[in-house]
């Protein structure tokens, strides 16, 4: 899986602007949390990215300001692990913990394309 690390809030602004033409996936991950590690591993195992969207990953501990900016900007409660799909500058889907599923994410992205 080719993750793009999201480490700066300025990059988040660019990401949002780019979603006017193509959705993206954001995965908020805690590298110290077993549940987060398992959710990421399961997602990577089942997500083939058929629509070739950009997939961003945020380390919620190391890049806390970015993680909080995501919660504030999109008006979604901060959780980790958490998966968001952003299209046309807004979150069109978000889920966390056991709700994170690569196959379901693919189906949603195919409907958006």
């Amino acid at each position: 899986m080719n993750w793009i690390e999201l480490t700066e809030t300025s990059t988040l602004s660019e990401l949002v602007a780019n979603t006017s033409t193509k959705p993206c996936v954001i995965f908020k991950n805690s590298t110290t949390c077993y549940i987060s590690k398992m959710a990421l591993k399961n997602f990577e195992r089942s997500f083939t990215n058929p629509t070739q969207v950009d997939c961003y990953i945020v380390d919620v501990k190391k890049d806390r300001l970015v993680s909080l900016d995501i919660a504030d900007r999109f008006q979604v409660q901060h959780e980790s692990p958490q998966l968001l799909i952003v299209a046309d500058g807004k979150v069109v889907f978000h889920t966390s913990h056991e709700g994170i599923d690569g196959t379901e994410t693919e189906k949603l992205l195919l409907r958006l394309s």
Side-chain angles (χ1 to χ4, degrees):
M1 177 104 195
N2 294 321
W3 290 108
I4 302 166
E5 289 189 38
L6 189 53
T7 60
E8 302 288 332
T9 55
S10 59
T11 306
L12 180 59
S13 297
E14 293 172 27
L15 171 160
V16 170
N18 291 339
T19 63
S20 64
T21 56
K22 184 173 160 182
C24 75
V25 170
I26 300 174
F27 193 102
K28 293 171 66 177
N29 181 49
S30 172
T31 57
T32 60
C33 172
Y34 174 76
I35 294 169
S36 196
K37 287 179 185 179
M38 288 305 298
L40 178 60
K41 185 177 180 179
N42 289 338
F43 180 78
E44 289 177 330
R45 198 175 313 139
S46 61
F47 184 71
T48 63
N49 200 1
T51 57
Q52 299 301 302
V53 298
D54 290 333
C55 296
Y56 296 87
I57 193 163
V58 179
D59 182 330
V60 299
K61 300 238 183 204
K62 186 177 81 175
D63 299 306
R64 184 105 179 122
L65 292 178
V66 175
S67 179
L68 294 173
D69 191 21
I70 290 168
D72 185 54
R73 183 182 301 241
F74 297 120
Q75 296 297 297
V76 294
Q77 181 177 335
H78 163 74
E79 295 188 72
S80 175
Q82 185 174 40
L83 181 127
L84 303 94
I85 298 175
V86 181
D88 294 323
K90 60 185 182 290
V91 170
V92 295
F93 176 79
H94 65 93
T95 190
S96 66
H97 295 82
E98 65 277 347
I100 297 172
D101 182 282
T103 303
E104 291 302 313
T105 302
E106 288 177 352
K107 289 177 187 176
L108 291 166
L109 289 168
L110 286 167
R111 278 188 249 152
L112 290 171
S113 60

